[in-house]
Amino acid sequence: AVQARDVESDQTLALLMGLDELDNIETPEQLAAHRERLSAALAALVESGIHGHLVNALITRHSDAVMRRCVELARAELGPAPAPFVVLCMGSMARREQTLCTDQDNALLIADRVPAELAAAKEYFLELGKRICGGLEQAGYARCSGGLMADNPEWVCTLTEWRRRFDGWIDSPDAEALLNAKIFFDIRDAWGDSALYGQLLEHLDRRLEENHRFFTFLAHNVLLFEPPLSRFGSLVVEEGVDGRGKLDIKGVMTQVVDFARIYGLRHGLRESNTLRRIQVLAQRDALKGSTVRELSSCYRQMMRIRLEHQV
């Protein structure tokens, strides 16, 4: 039996995840085997009643470690990178909210290069991205169905290119831009030059401060969601393939994530985790105490149900 307070320590995390074993992994098959053992351990933890946010943290620690190992193995074969770079993660991995059934959302940020060298640099980083995404897939992290991965040329960009992307999403918030904003505004550096990543965040913070109108569009987009409730307040479920009623709990949880993101960005928070965003906003008196308690409690409970269902 593992107590929740014990799991929060780095030493216990490393032990439970077998993170030290990753340093000796050299093949995709070894990654797959390691993931299978991890899945069994996580399922047992969920069934034992451990808090959902701790399971999220455990999975994120593992995916971070796998990504670092994939980068190390790729660089050993490809040689030194032609420019400083950062491996970015987005979505649930950036928020440290990955579940037992999770996919990849990652990209590469490259330092600006002179035009004559850019093509050669992009070729190197595309191959690096393929190896990173392939390693994560072997380790049990499914490919993104929308292609938001570092093996896609669209998401292997220089600092200047990324700045232009963010500018476009903020200045012209159409439906696609708002969708990308939801994904890429939850962002974290998983490996690489943290100073380069910091330059991108500084640009994003400045542009959001300059364009408050963007938050109106972002909020309106969130309000388009219709809660699965009848006019009398009861849950509306759909019929599943087995004839039983089903509810898209991820869709409901997304509303809490979106709410926390909008308020977090509006108040300049660098924190991306949903519960932490809500806590920091409370500390800044940006949210009412009752709102914080209700949001946090509901989110934790829904995460718990979701993990139990995945087990």
Side-chain angles (χ1 to χ4, degrees), residues 238-249:
E238 302 175 11
E239 185 175 337
V241 292
D242 58 357
R244 295 189 300 175
K246 66 175 184 177
L247 173 70
D248 178 15
I249 197 168

Side-chain angles (χ1 to χ4, degrees), residues 42-191:
L42 288 172
L45 286 173
V46 172
E47 291 177 334
S48 73
I50 195 172
H51 294 305
H53 70 278
L54 294 177
V55 176
N56 300 147
L58 287 168
I59 297 172
T60 302
R61 277 289 297 270
H62 181 262
S63 61
D64 281 353
V66 170
M67 181 173 285
R68 287 194 298 270
R69 188 58 182 152
C70 290
V71 174
E72 291 166 357
L73 292 174
R75 293 182 73 210
E77 295 182 0
L78 298 175
F85 71 98
V86 182
V87 182
L88 302 173
C89 58
M90 293 84 66
S92 61
M93 184 176 180
R95 295 193 303 272
R96 296 179 173 85
E97 294 168 1
Q98 289 174 291
T99 63
L100 303 175
C101 303
T102 190
D103 62 0
Q104 301 182 41
D105 285 316
N106 46 57
L108 289 178
L109 164 61
I110 311 166
D112 288 323
R113 304 287 290 179
V114 295
E117 299 174 342
L118 183 57
K122 284 287 186 74
E123 185 176 343
Y124 173 96
F125 286 113
L126 271 174
E127 182 59 32
L128 177 67
K130 289 178 182 178
R131 298 187 183 215
I132 292 172
C133 295
L136 284 167
E137 185 177 15
Q138 288 286 343
Y141 298 96
R143 297 179 62 83
C144 173
S145 58
L148 294 174
M149 296 185 299
D151 61 358
N152 184 341
E154 188 174 359
W155 309 117
V156 178
C157 303
T158 64
L159 177 60
T160 296
E161 291 169 338
W162 275 116
R163 284 170 171 168
R164 289 172 182 165
R165 290 263 175 118
F166 280 106
D167 288 348
W169 296 333
I170 294 171
D171 295 333
S172 303
D174 55 19
E176 183 178 359
L178 290 171
L179 176 61
N180 284 325
K182 285 186 177 184
I183 297 170
F184 285 92
F185 284 22
D186 290 340
I187 195 168
R188 180 167 62 85
D189 56 333
W191 193 99

Side-chain angles (χ1 to χ4, degrees), residues 235-272:
L235 287 174
V236 176
V237 298
E238 302 175 11
E239 185 175 337
V241 292
D242 58 357
R244 295 189 300 175
K246 66 175 184 177
L247 173 70
D248 178 15
I249 197 168
K250 180 180 179 181
V252 179
M253 292 178 69
T254 296
Q255 307 316 301
V256 181
V257 173
D258 288 345
F259 176 90
R261 181 190 304 110
I262 291 174
Y263 272 79
L265 291 172
R266 182 64 186 84
H267 288 269
L269 303 188
R270 290 286 176 89
E271 177 62 57
S272 58

